[in-house]
Amino acid sequence: MKNFLRKNWIDFVAVPIGLFVFVAPFVLIFLTSTKNAEESFQFDFSLGEEFLLWQNIKTVLATNDGIVIRAFINSTIITFISVVLIVIVSSMAAFVFSRRPGKWTTFANVMILAGLIVPPAIVPTIWVLQKLNLFKTMQGLIFIEVAYSAAFAILIYKSFISSIPKEIDEAAAMDGCTGFSLYRRIIFPLLMPVNVTIIVTTSVAVFNDFTNPLYFLPGNENATVQLTLFYFQSAYLTQYNLLFTDILLITIPPLIVFIIFNKKIVSGLTAGSVKG
Amino acid sequence: MTKSKSKKKIKSPYSYRLAAPVGIIFLVFFIIPTIVSFFFSMTRWTLFDWEFIGFENFIQYFKEASLAIGFKNTLIYGVVTSGLKVIIGLALALLLTGRLRAKGFLRSVVYFPVLVSTIGVGFTFSVLMDPNYGVINKAIVSLGKSIGWETYGPGWLVDPNLLPLFSVAFVDVWKGVGMATVIFMAGLATIPREYYEALEVDGGGAWDKFKNITLPLVQPATAAVVILSFIGGLRSFDLIWAMTNGGPGFLSDVIASINYKQYQAGFYGLATAGNVILLFFVLAITGPIYWYFNRKEQEA
């Protein structure tokens, strides 16, 4: 026993600290969402007199004609369509840019760098959206999400595609399979490991996005999940149980993604990101 | 086959047309707004109508205390978050690639906050940092009592000084350090074991290993973490907005939150000028860092 302790002392220090620092805040979210309004104002790590989680969830979902349900539907639609578009259009572009050096590819590399660094110009973007009749529409926000995530996605796809041997395309081209059909039938099926990375990172980013819906999709009928948090914060100043129930509900989708893809996220990112 | 070869131009199997969809979306929703922002930053603008006023918006931005504070705060926020992410991220990565038994568990625990809603995290920590009811100050008060020291604990998010900005930066690190850790873990995995063994033979200790092998060879990962967290930190908006609203007063306002306030107030020209300023601010800071790491890598 003594030997066991001495050998694994790092675990006995690291695990409690890890739990305390990284898990405790989530425990607080859960506990607060099970209390009544008065108890929730105590902000402490205790259970209330009654376990009111289900009741709080019902109240949150019924609030303001179901604004949270509407927000969940909106956010799900936006996230799903954005992710599908990002995967298709960025991998297509990355395929060309990693296979065909030239003026346009050099230009694209500069654009990718710009897309990663340059902060978006907000009001001019609203102006463009208005000209296209896309301001305050879900389509508008979807285009924005695609535009803002494209640089990162193309970068990751490019570094993966460059590891696919060129001989494969040459063999296919010999058989007359070029351009889009080469991409769709030969390359895309090989991209599955990176697709997982891109799907996980962009779906979480779009679902958790607060700033872009705030600017480009205002209005209660267009609510997205992150904006409902502000709704609960301002409308029910003292009902922290409802605010935290909303936080809990919003944390569930990322939690599911995390449970399914935990191992792949780490390995996928490490395969793509740091290549010096 | 022979016919097409004899032609001067062989059609490439990689048509640029495949890049057109993303190119058009990027051009319309990112490049064009960025280009026109330079013009509209020099106007008084209502979205329907504009009046050219030269550099007046920029002058106002530098003159007014409530706007100019954004430069200082943005820089502090970027330096603090990216510095702490490098130090803590590297320490955690070393720990999680070492001889820990609970590696997998701790790795998940450290990474999970990356995936969670920033606003939710912000609200949760506002509650934890509440000056009177928050768990953190309650713990400080009772700890103080046990050693006979009367204290209320600091006003993490309400003190009229730099503390609120640091508190938010701390939460930013809590949420984002998992990403830095993963990047460092990938970097550490590329270092060959033999290097350490060779140093061991020469009688080098743990510190020598860290200083002479780990630190120089993990450099590409360090560069990635520094640049990524600077890019993120300098434009950070949502966490600050959720936790302090830029307050108390405008003491924790950063450029991005000031721009939102100007936008809300209908000063579109001024908000756009703020955007252009943020663009140059980010370029002025990340540019030299990028150049520095690039040069070092070529030397190595």
Side-chain angles (χ1 to χ4, degrees):
Chain A
M1 184 66 198
K2 220 176 171 182
N3 226 341
F4 178 75
L5 276 177
R6 195 179 305 154
K7 224 174 150 188
N8 299 304
W9 68 272
I10 306 181
D11 280 80
F12 291 103
V13 178
V15 172
I17 293 178
L19 284 175
F20 180 73
V21 173
F22 288 104
V23 181
F26 294 106
V27 176
L28 181 84
I29 294 173
F30 177 76
L31 288 174
T32 310
S33 65
T34 68
K35 295 177 179 178
N36 66 34
E38 210 178 306
E39 291 161 348
S40 73
F41 206 55
Q42 288 303 315
F43 297 158
D44 57 10
F45 287 86
S46 66
L47 275 169
E49 212 139 272
E50 269 180 283
F51 188 82
L52 297 172
L53 178 61
W54 309 122
Q55 206 175 315
N56 284 339
I57 291 178
K58 266 186 219 157
T59 314
V60 165
L61 294 182
T63 300
N64 195 356
D65 300 324
I67 189 172
V68 174
I69 297 176
R70 239 178 306 143
F72 256 97
I73 295 171
N74 288 346
S75 284
T76 309
I77 295 172
I78 293 166
T79 307
F80 181 77
I81 300 179
S82 303
V83 169
V84 169
L85 282 176
I86 289 164
V87 165
I88 296 171
V89 299
S90 333
S91 62
M92 247 162 40
F95 170 56
V96 179
F97 295 143
S98 70
R99 287 293 198 248
R100 191 174 174 182
K103 253 190 303 184
W104 281 102
T105 300
T106 314
F107 176 71
N109 287 335
V110 175
M111 287 295 114
I112 290 167
L113 202 60
L116 288 173
I117 295 176
V118 173
I122 305 285
V123 191
T125 308
I126 293 176
W127 178 75
V128 167
L129 286 171
Q130 273 185 343
K131 297 260 164 200
L132 299 171
N133 280 325
L134 288 171
F135 185 48
K136 294 189 190 182
T137 66
M138 296 223 272
Q139 300 92 294
L141 184 62
I142 288 168
F143 282 127
I144 297 286
E145 299 288 2
V146 174
Y148 292 179
S149 329
F152 173 76
I154 293 177
L155 203 67
I156 301 279
Y157 275 119
K158 253 178 59 180
S159 75
F160 186 85
I161 292 172
S162 58
S163 72
I164 299 174
K166 241 182 153 175
E167 286 77 36
I168 292 182
D169 336 349
E170 275 156 18
M174 212 72 93
D175 297 333
C177 183
T178 61
F180 183 73
S181 72
L182 172 61
Y183 157 79
R184 196 182 63 87
R185 287 162 59 188
I186 312 292
I187 300 298
F188 190 75
L190 297 172
L191 296 180
M192 281 312 150
V194 225
N195 283 344
V196 172
T197 311
I198 297 296
I199 290 170
V200 169
T201 50
T202 50
S203 66
V204 168
V206 175
F207 189 81
N208 285 338
D209 190 7
F210 163 70
T211 313
N212 296 321
L214 178 74
Y215 278 119
F216 306 124
L217 195 63
N220 264 351
E221 69 281 6
N222 291 325
T224 54
V225 285
Q226 305 303 321
L227 292 170
T228 64
L229 293 174
F230 273 90
Y231 178 81
F232 278 99
Q233 195 216 21
S234 55
Y236 300 93
L237 263 180
T238 51
Q239 289 184 295
Y240 276 89
N241 54 338
L242 298 185
L243 174 63
F244 277 75
T245 306
D246 196 23
I247 296 178
L248 186 74
L249 289 175
I250 287 170
T251 310
I252 292 172
L255 183 67
I256 294 171
V257 168
F258 176 70
I259 291 169
I260 299 174
F261 295 109
N262 181 16
K263 285 211 176 104
K264 287 196 174 154
I265 298 171
V266 176
S267 60
L269 276 176
T270 53
S273 62
V274 194
K275 280 216 165 151
Chain B
M1 205 61 217
T2 42
K3 245 186 187 174
S4 72
K5 255 188 184 171
S6 65
K7 276 185 191 169
K8 264 185 191 163
K9 253 191 181 170
I10 301 167
K11 218 178 136 212
S12 167
Y14 315 115
S15 163
Y16 278 124
R17 246 178 276 169
L18 291 177
V22 79
I24 291 167
I25 294 174
F26 192 72
L27 177 76
V28 172
F29 298 99
F30 188 81
I31 298 297
I32 290 178
T34 303
I35 292 170
V36 298
S37 76
F38 292 103
F39 170 73
F40 282 119
S41 68
M42 290 189 263
T43 63
R44 200 170 283 128
W45 189 22
T46 62
L47 277 177
F48 302 102
D49 219 352
W50 51 266
E51 178 198 343
F52 192 80
I53 55 169
F55 287 101
E56 224 170 89
N57 288 326
F58 293 92
I59 292 167
Q60 196 182 346
Y61 219 100
F62 285 96
K63 257 192 184 163
E64 236 170 81
S66 63
L67 302 176
I69 194 173
F71 298 111
K72 193 185 73 178
N73 284 349
T74 306
L75 188 63
I76 292 175
Y77 193 86
V79 171
V80 170
T81 51
S82 111
L84 287 177
K85 278 176 192 172
V86 167
I87 296 167
I88 302 173
L90 181 56
L92 283 171
L94 286 169
L95 183 76
L96 293 176
T97 48
R99 52 191 187 97
L100 207 64
R101 274 165 175 263
K103 257 183 237 176
F105 169 73
L106 279 177
R107 204 179 287 176
S108 313
V109 162
V110 170
Y111 189 75
F112 184 57
V114 172
L115 301 178
V116 175
S117 147
T118 309
I119 305 298
V121 166
F123 285 161
T124 308
F125 272 89
S126 314
V127 161
L128 287 167
M129 290 174 166
D130 187 281
N132 304 311
Y133 305 102
V135 176
I136 296 176
N137 273 7
K138 274 186 193 159
I140 291 176
V141 169
S142 66
L143 248 144
K145 260 192 194 139
S146 67
I147 56 165
W149 177 43
E150 283 292 328
T151 177
Y152 296 109
W156 299 105
L157 299 170
V158 293
D159 261 5
N161 50 38
L162 274 178
L163 183 63
L165 188 68
F166 281 110
S167 302
V168 179
F170 163 79
V171 178
D172 191 313
V173 173
W174 179 87
K175 189 183 181 318
V177 78
M179 193 69 208
T181 308
V182 168
I183 295 175
F184 272 122
M185 278 166 51
L188 290 176
T190 62
I191 303 177
R193 288 243 73 85
E194 295 80 42
Y195 290 10
Y196 292 107
E197 284 157 16
L199 197 71
E200 248 168 58
V201 172
D202 293 343
W207 173 248
D208 295 310
K209 283 187 199 165
F210 177 72
K211 205 186 70 169
N212 296 324
I213 299 174
T214 311
L215 214 48
L217 289 180
V218 86
Q219 167 114 6
T222 313
V225 171
V226 170
I227 292 168
L228 283 178
S229 48
F230 255 111
I231 292 172
L234 294 175
R235 26 158 122 164
S236 166
F237 165 70
D238 35 11
L239 195 61
I240 290 166
W241 196 248
M243 292 185 71
T244 66
N245 255 294
F250 45 79
L251 284 173
S252 65
D253 257 328
V254 290
I255 299 177
S257 67
I258 291 169
N259 291 347
Y260 179 64
K261 285 179 180 174
Q262 302 310 324
Y263 162 76
Q264 257 186 328
F267 299 127
Y268 298 137
L270 191 60
T272 308
N275 236 298
V276 172
I277 289 173
L278 183 60
L279 164 62
F280 284 115
F281 202 74
V282 174
L283 285 180
I285 291 166
T286 52
I289 297 174
Y290 188 78
W291 177 79
Y292 169 80
F293 279 117
N294 243 350
R295 198 192 50 164
K296 262 200 134 180
E297 204 166 286
Q298 273 159 15
E299 273 173 14

